[in-house]
Amino acid sequence: MSSHDKLLADYRLRREAVARQLDTELFVKPEQTVELLETAIKPGDVVCLEGNNQKQADFLAEALSKVNPKEVNNLHMVQSSLVLDEHVEVFEKGIANRLDFAFSGPQAKKLFKAVNSQQVNVGAIHTYLELYGRYFVDLTPRVAMVVADACDPSGNLYTGANTEDTPLITEATNFKNGLVIAQVSEKKDSLSRVDIPADWVDYIVVTEEPYHHEALFTRDPAQITDLQVLTGMMIIKGIYEEYKVSKLNHGLGFATAAVELLLPTYGREIGLSGEVCSHWVLNPHPTLIPAIEEGIAQKVYPFGGEIGTNEYVQARPDVFPTDSNGLMRSGRCNAHVAGLYGIDCFTGATLQIDKYGNSSTAIDGMIAGFGGAPNLGSTPPGRRHQTEAFAKAGAVHYDNHYGRKLVVQVTPTVSEKKSIPVFREKLDAYDLYEAGHFEAPPVMIDAQQMTHIVTEKGIAYLDRCNSMEEQMAAVRAVAGDTEVGERERTAETDRLRTKGKVKTPDDLGINVADATTDKLAAHSIEDLVEISNGLYNPPQYLL
């Protein structure tokens, strides 16, 4: 009869090896970390190095990049985000060779080079929820390296506002007899809250220094352009107001920051009711502060925290999830479940859109990953509750009405900074697939899931198109001076405008000349601080 406790036996052997080598049961000195990893990790292991959108197990990442490749190699990294240089260096040094991930914005160019040179074998670019799910199925880490704000002498962990996916990673690993190693910033006699119990953690490295944490979702209003104001006004008037969108998510970027800053001004100007844009699945975006103070944004459930917003969040317990001490706890998995089933609209940006309406951020020279877009930007087949927005975007098939989530991609037709056409006949994603870099074309949002494309030319209402041919015509109508847009025909576009399947700024009653940054509720980081009554404390480098 075969043994059914091989993982447990392996776990015990690794624990015994660490105890012999380092003479410790729980706490490991920072200078012993590389030795710990070389003892605890075996070649070919599935390893999760916590890299979230914002907080990073940076000390452990640096230590992993320093292990001897002759001792630790062929690792299969399963981590949601690649943010630090070390996240790619482990592949360049031969320590790891396979990767399953979700987002790699800051390392997009380096990752492309590593993939192109065959240093990295990518299993898939996941949406976050998809990757988290696989932690419990076929991508369960043998070793997980996580990060927390503090620990107590027993080893309990406090993760602070940036709880994110730390408990999920820890649980998936610990309850499959994997090793959990935690980097914490400080050791305290007692914790204000226990987010991860001590018996889920094997080793703790107290660094006595803050972990890497960036203000990923902070956008300076001063950098928003008139074009982004224009597309923001179109989104508010042509989508949020028209569909009565109350529950939504925004991707990161200046285009969606413009929308958030227009809600208290332009939104009020066109008479948005208090029921529109009231419930959000979103980090504490500083650009959402004016809408919160105006009572428009009434409830926010966060994926993670944001630098400088803790005091503001603590003073707004009706808006954000906080404990009895006023301390926020986020949850990336919880937020993605809410984003999949609990919202009616996802609005985000992209790098490329093809003639059908497929979009991707995996392009020639950059592999930025998808983050939550494929999850948030899709209609789950299991959803059964109806809302006005969900019903309005849907249609009747086989005598049954099927609702639909609004999936909005907002982009200039040509990128403002680099003048690169966004609309392409064929996505670079297909070239990456044909080159053998991916097991399937890395398309972020499928054309069949997309409901709206917004550019400076107007809105393509793909949810109202009756065929792919009509959808392609709507895409062409808003594609501007690109290889897709050059196929646009005026008569064809006019017919779509008559049917309300394409709307220009004029059709929406928006004067392009009025679309300036003067309409924003804040024009600088300092304005946001003032509107928050001094509760928002941005990083000094932003001021």
Side-chain angles (χ1 to χ4, degrees):
M1 180 178 292
S2 64
S3 171
H4 295 288
D5 62 355
K6 292 179 181 178
L7 294 178
L8 178 58
D10 176 74
Y11 169 80
R12 288 170 175 167
L13 287 173
R14 296 191 195 210
R15 289 273 307 175
E16 290 169 3
V18 171
R20 287 195 304 270
Q21 188 72 21
L22 302 181
D23 189 28
T24 184
E25 290 295 321
L26 178 60
F27 288 99
V28 176
K29 297 176 182 178
E31 61 269 23
Q32 293 180 307
T33 306
V34 173
E35 190 176 3
L36 167 67
L37 300 185
E38 289 179 339
T39 307
I41 301 174
K42 294 182 179 181
D45 274 348
V46 175
V47 173
C48 180
L49 174 61
E50 185 169 13
N52 288 321
N53 265 352
Q54 292 150 291
K55 71 173 183 177
Q56 311 296 325
D58 56 340
F59 186 86
L60 293 175
E62 183 179 2
L64 183 62
S65 72
K66 292 179 178 178
V67 299
N68 186 347
K70 293 181 180 180
E71 300 291 331
V72 180
N73 52 63
N74 294 313
L75 300 184
H76 182 174
M77 305 302 297
V78 292
Q79 61 191 80
S80 61
S81 298
L82 278 77
V83 174
L84 307 175
D85 290 341
E86 290 86 355
H87 291 162
V88 181
E89 285 177 10
V90 294
F91 295 97
E92 296 171 339
K93 294 179 176 180
I95 297 165
N97 62 5
R98 186 167 178 81
L99 172 67
D100 281 279
F101 75 110
F103 175 71
S104 61
Q107 297 296 328
K109 292 181 180 179
K110 287 187 68 175
L111 179 60
F112 176 84
K113 290 180 180 178
V115 169
N116 208 38
S117 62
Q118 299 184 332
Q119 293 174 315
V120 180
N121 178 13
V122 177
I125 305 176
H126 300 68
T127 187
Y128 289 114
L129 202 58
E130 177 184 14
L131 184 60
Y132 301 157
R134 294 188 68 188
Y135 288 166
F136 293 94
V137 185
D138 61 325
L139 292 182
T140 306
R142 288 304 297 141
V143 178
M145 290 174 273
V146 299
V147 59
D149 286 31
C151 70
D152 63 15
S154 298
N156 296 301
L157 303 184
Y158 169 65
T159 54
N162 281 89
T163 305
E164 303 204 42
D165 46 320
T166 314
L168 182 141
I169 296 168
T170 304
E171 180 173 347
T173 305
N174 174 261
F175 285 89
K176 210 62 181 173
N177 296 308
L179 288 172
V180 176
I181 302 169
Q183 164 191 335
V184 303
S185 298
E186 59 180 325
K187 184 179 179 182
K188 295 182 174 182
D189 291 336
S190 62
L191 302 176
S192 58
R193 183 180 76 215
V194 173
D195 290 312
I196 298 173
D199 57 359
W200 292 14
V201 181
D202 291 285
Y203 304 106
I204 295 175
V205 181
V206 181
T207 64
E208 296 184 351
E209 59 185 27
Y211 51 74
H212 179 91
H213 182 197
E214 61 182 293
L216 182 67
F217 290 94
T218 296
R219 292 295 179 269
D220 186 346
Q223 296 186 46
I224 294 173
T225 66
D226 288 348
L227 188 151
Q228 290 159 346
V229 171
L230 174 61
T231 55
M233 291 170 67
M234 286 193 284
I235 288 168
I236 292 172
K237 180 72 178 292
I239 301 176
Y240 293 175
E241 197 275 337
E242 185 164 336
Y243 289 78
K244 299 297 183 288
V245 173
S246 62
K247 301 180 293 182
L248 69 161
N249 165 263
H250 276 178
L252 61 88
F254 286 101
T256 46
V259 177
E260 292 157 18
L261 290 172
L262 286 166
L263 286 172
T265 55
Y266 179 68
R268 293 297 196 199
E269 182 182 316
I270 64 174
L272 284 187
S273 70
E275 297 179 356
V276 176
C277 299
S278 56
H279 289 68
W280 298 73
V281 178
L282 197 70
N283 280 41
H285 286 198
T287 46
L288 196 63
I289 289 173
I292 293 172
E293 295 306 298
E294 288 290 325
I296 298 169
Q298 300 167 21
K299 185 175 182 180
V300 180
Y301 186 81
F303 301 81
E306 186 70 359
I307 292 177
T309 61
N310 285 352
E311 288 186 30
Y312 180 75
V313 166
Q314 190 168 3
R316 303 290 182 271
D318 287 348
V319 179
F320 298 96
T322 59
D323 60 24
S324 58
N325 297 310
L327 302 173
M328 190 182 86
R329 175 179 162 118
S330 58
R332 191 160 296 279
C333 184
N334 299 344
H336 278 282
V337 171
L340 184 62
Y341 279 98
I343 64 172
D344 297 322
C345 180
F346 161 76
T347 301
T350 187
L351 295 178
Q352 281 187 355
I353 299 177
D354 70 10
K355 60 185 177 181
Y356 303 108
N358 297 302
S359 75
S360 185
T361 54
I363 65 173
D364 184 28
M366 291 179 62
I367 301 175
F370 303 150
N375 174 41
L376 298 163
S378 66
T379 302
R383 174 166 167 168
R384 289 297 181 267
H385 75 281
Q386 286 288 348
T387 59
E388 184 173 352
F390 194 72
K392 195 166 186 177
V396 175
H397 300 288
Y398 309 111
D399 295 329
N400 188 30
H401 182 273
Y402 290 84
R404 192 174 182 184
K405 184 189 293 181
L406 279 68
V407 178
V408 183
Q409 294 278 257
V410 53
T411 178
T413 56
V414 177
S415 64
E416 290 190 88
K417 288 185 178 180
K418 298 184 178 180
S419 299
I420 299 173
V422 173
F423 289 83
R424 302 283 299 276
E425 282 287 304
K426 179 184 177 183
L427 295 177
D428 289 349
Y430 292 100
D431 295 330
L432 293 170
Y433 164 67
E434 290 164 5
H437 297 321
F438 292 90
E439 295 176 352
V443 172
M444 182 172 68
I445 297 179
D446 184 273
Q448 297 182 67
Q449 294 288 343
M450 195 92 72
T451 62
H452 301 80
I453 297 175
V454 183
T455 74
E456 73 275 13
K457 293 293 183 180
I459 303 177
Y461 292 81
L462 307 186
D463 62 318
R464 298 174 183 175
C465 294
N466 297 321
S467 66
M468 181 52 71
E469 289 74 19
E470 194 170 49
Q471 178 163 320
M472 291 169 66
V475 173
R476 290 194 292 268
V478 299
D481 187 18
T482 66
E483 60 185 11
V484 174
E486 69 183 14
R487 297 178 181 273
E488 185 257 349
R489 298 293 178 264
T490 302
E492 183 179 58
T493 298
D494 287 344
R495 285 194 296 272
L496 292 173
R497 290 174 65 186
T498 299
K499 296 177 181 179
K501 299 180 181 184
V502 169
K503 291 186 180 181
T504 66
D506 282 344
D507 296 332
L508 293 166
I510 296 173
N511 184 344
V512 175
D514 292 338
T516 69
T517 56
D518 290 342
K519 283 192 175 293
L520 299 175
H523 300 93
S524 65
I525 293 289
E526 289 85 353
D527 285 350
L528 295 175
V529 173
E530 183 178 347
I531 294 169
S532 75
N533 295 313
L535 294 171
Y536 171 44
N537 299 297
Q540 286 299 308
Y541 65 82
L542 292 176
L543 296 173

